[in-house]
Amino acid sequence: MRVIVDADVRIEDPGNLTELAVVSDLPAEEIATALRAADLGDTAGDHAWLRCAALEEQGALLVDDPQWRQRFQGMLDYARRKGWMDDRGEAVRAHITARE
């Protein structure tokens, strides 16, 4: 799953729950502003902190898979085991990468 940040913020490839990244060529502060405006999260350093509930709600709208929410929770469980969740378990850390 990729969160694309350019003229707008959108989720691409929500069925791929083996990767999570924010993809953008914008400066870091503009990425942070866009994520906050979309109510998806914020940035800290080279990473984004994405709101799990918002990702789940928006991602579920884009797939036709009755098991998707269960698979999404599996991704979050994996992130939790790796230490990639915030202390409250409400946000997941994602790399910020440049568009290819």
Side-chain angles (χ1 to χ4, degrees):
M1 177 186 300
R2 293 181 303 278
V3 176
I4 309 300
V5 180
D6 47 30
D8 60 354
V9 178
R10 65 191 179 282
I11 293 175
E12 286 187 355
D13 199 13
N16 180 1
L17 297 174
T18 62
E19 79 168 296
L20 180 61
V22 171
V23 181
S24 182
D25 288 329
L26 296 175
E29 186 53 42
E30 289 182 37
I31 295 170
T33 299
L35 289 173
R36 287 190 303 266
D39 201 28
L40 269 176
D42 207 341
T43 62
D46 294 338
H47 293 95
W49 286 94
L50 302 174
R51 291 184 50 248
C52 300
L55 273 181
E56 182 175 9
E57 285 303 310
Q58 292 184 31
L61 295 173
L62 301 172
V63 295
D64 184 24
D65 176 0
Q67 300 298 315
W68 186 85
R69 285 185 189 267
Q70 181 179 348
R71 292 177 46 238
F72 180 81
Q73 288 303 316
M75 179 187 76
L76 295 182
D77 290 343
Y78 179 80
R80 190 173 291 106
R81 289 191 305 273
K82 292 293 187 175
W84 300 334
M85 299 285 287
D86 71 350
D87 293 338
R88 296 179 299 184
E90 296 176 356
V92 61
R93 189 177 75 181
H95 293 286
I96 300 173
T97 61
R99 289 187 70 87
E100 297 177 355

